[in-house]
Amino acid sequence: FGPVNLTEYEYQTILNYYRSKPHPRLTGNYSYLSTYMYSYDKDGEEILYTLVDRLREYAEEEGITGDRVADFVVSFVQAFPYISDSVSTPFDDYTRYPIETLLEKEGDCEDTALLTAVLLKELGYGSAMIIMPEEGHAAAGVLGGEFMLGTYYQVGNKKYFYLETTNTGWPIGVVPDDLMGAKAIVVPL
């Protein structure tokens, strides 16, 4: 795996550890999300923080600053192939831990949204999960910067701009046509 050099045995051990943990459904009470997203073991933390450091270093080397860092992070995750739970697991509804999504390099909407939100948070950006229960969809949100434009969801006096994570090419603030006007639950991290 790119950010951390793992042997096949270490890779499988870490992946099996996260696969064996409870995987709550992304429905109903969303207050558990931050505990769920941040329940890492030592290996998972090392993988996550090494990736965050590498993303930060690359952004600095390439002169990517400010709001553009959020674009960079979402484009990194958007490159992961979309795969439904029913195809990739024995379950119809299986929310992966962010470390699982990183190791498997694939996921569905809530998997890539969780990963994006966690990476943004660890890079120092305000982030949120945007959950559209009626549509069965999830996206990430990034706390608005001074130059961000597009669709956002307001929580108190904070604006979380929509980030579509399921396919490449979706810029910050652009919502797919079939989701325009959908009711959303926004869970800041």
Side-chain angles (χ1 to χ4, degrees):
F1 179 73
V4 177
N5 293 324
L6 300 174
T7 66
E8 183 61 29
Y9 175 78
E10 291 168 325
Y11 170 86
Q12 284 303 324
T13 300
I14 295 167
L15 192 54
N16 289 337
Y17 168 77
Y18 284 98
R19 286 178 177 163
S20 70
K21 291 174 64 93
H23 286 75
R25 298 178 78 152
L26 197 59
T27 57
N29 180 359
Y30 301 103
S31 62
Y32 70 88
L33 272 175
S34 46
T35 301
Y36 173 68
M37 292 183 340
Y38 289 105
S39 62
Y40 301 123
D41 67 337
K42 181 178 159 280
D43 293 323
E45 281 185 0
E46 181 181 355
I47 291 167
L48 178 68
Y49 296 136
T50 300
L51 175 61
V52 166
D53 288 345
R54 296 248 173 104
L55 290 170
R56 185 179 289 117
E57 289 167 9
Y58 184 80
E60 287 173 9
E61 288 170 10
E62 297 299 316
I64 300 169
T65 60
D67 298 344
R68 291 182 48 227
V69 173
D71 279 321
F72 169 61
V73 170
V74 76
S75 67
F76 168 76
V77 177
Q78 285 174 341
F80 288 14
Y82 177 91
I83 188 162
S84 69
D85 292 334
S86 60
V87 171
S88 62
T89 71
F91 309 102
D92 286 335
D93 187 10
Y94 180 90
T95 303
R96 288 172 173 82
Y97 287 86
I99 299 301
E100 281 181 282
T101 305
L102 270 174
L103 291 174
E104 293 175 343
K105 298 182 197 121
E106 64 185 15
D108 66 5
C109 62
E110 76 267 8
D111 305 327
T112 55
L114 278 168
L115 176 58
T116 301
V118 166
L119 291 174
L120 288 170
K121 182 169 179 61
E122 293 301 328
L123 284 163
Y125 291 82
S127 64
M129 283 292 294
I130 298 172
I131 302 160
M132 300 170 171
E134 292 177 21
E135 285 73 17
H137 190 66
V142 60
L143 190 59
E146 63 181 286
F147 299 111
M148 283 188 192
L149 300 172
T151 300
Y152 62 85
Y153 298 87
Q154 193 148 345
V155 177
N157 62 351
K158 297 180 178 181
K159 296 177 182 178
Y160 291 94
F161 284 78
Y162 185 91
L163 296 170
E164 181 59 47
T165 62
T166 59
N167 203 346
T168 59
W170 288 99
I172 293 173
V174 176
V175 178
D177 289 341
D178 59 331
L179 297 172
M180 288 299 293
K183 291 181 182 173
I185 297 166
V186 180
V187 182
L189 305 188

